[in-house]
Amino acid sequence: MAQLLPLEEQIAAMKATWPELAPRNIDRRLRSARWVGRVRAQHCWYAIEIRYQIGSMPQVRVLAPILVRLPGNEEGELPHVYPPSNDPTLCLFDPRTGEWDASMALAHTIVLWTLDWLTCYELWLMTGKWTGGGRHAGDPVPISTENAQ
């Protein structure tokens, strides 16, 4: 099992890499933090929130602007998000395939993946097609050749 990256190191990495994402609600007893700030994808600025507790999956929300839905879209009215639909969190990685673990700095993974998600979202709004890859809810987990030995 990978070594958990301490909360203080997560906070320091975020401050050094993304100073526009301000730490909020740091709780050292619960080993949790929340960051809020603005980031720019290709065409728009977005206010985002990242919530994280050591040992749990990070949660990212877009606070503004409100994410547009495309009712009737074949990939869903808002693809690659987790419910509830009125407060979705972004699906940035597949937790069942080990793409992210608590030894990784949020600043070097989750924030970059958020920017990628937002860029794919902007393109999806223009084309109706999700280009970000990934697996939709309910799709089978891919079997890697490494694990099939």
Side-chain angles (χ1 to χ4, degrees), residues 1-7 9-10 31 52-56 100-105:
M1 186 164 139
Q3 181 76 19
L4 298 178
L5 191 64
L7 184 61
E9 289 184 37
Q10 291 285 7
R31 300 185 314 162
Y52 180 60
Q53 182 173 8
I54 300 289
S56 298
W100 187 87
D101 67 53
S103 70
M104 300 174 176

Side-chain angles (χ1 to χ4, degrees), residues 39-46 115 118-120 122-123 126:
V39 296
R40 181 171 171 82
Q42 293 297 310
H43 300 287
C44 296
W45 284 92
Y46 297 89
L115 292 171
L118 291 167
T119 299
C120 293
E122 290 177 353
L123 187 58
M126 291 184 268

Side-chain angles (χ1 to χ4, degrees), residues 2 62 71 99:
V62 175
E99 294 172 293

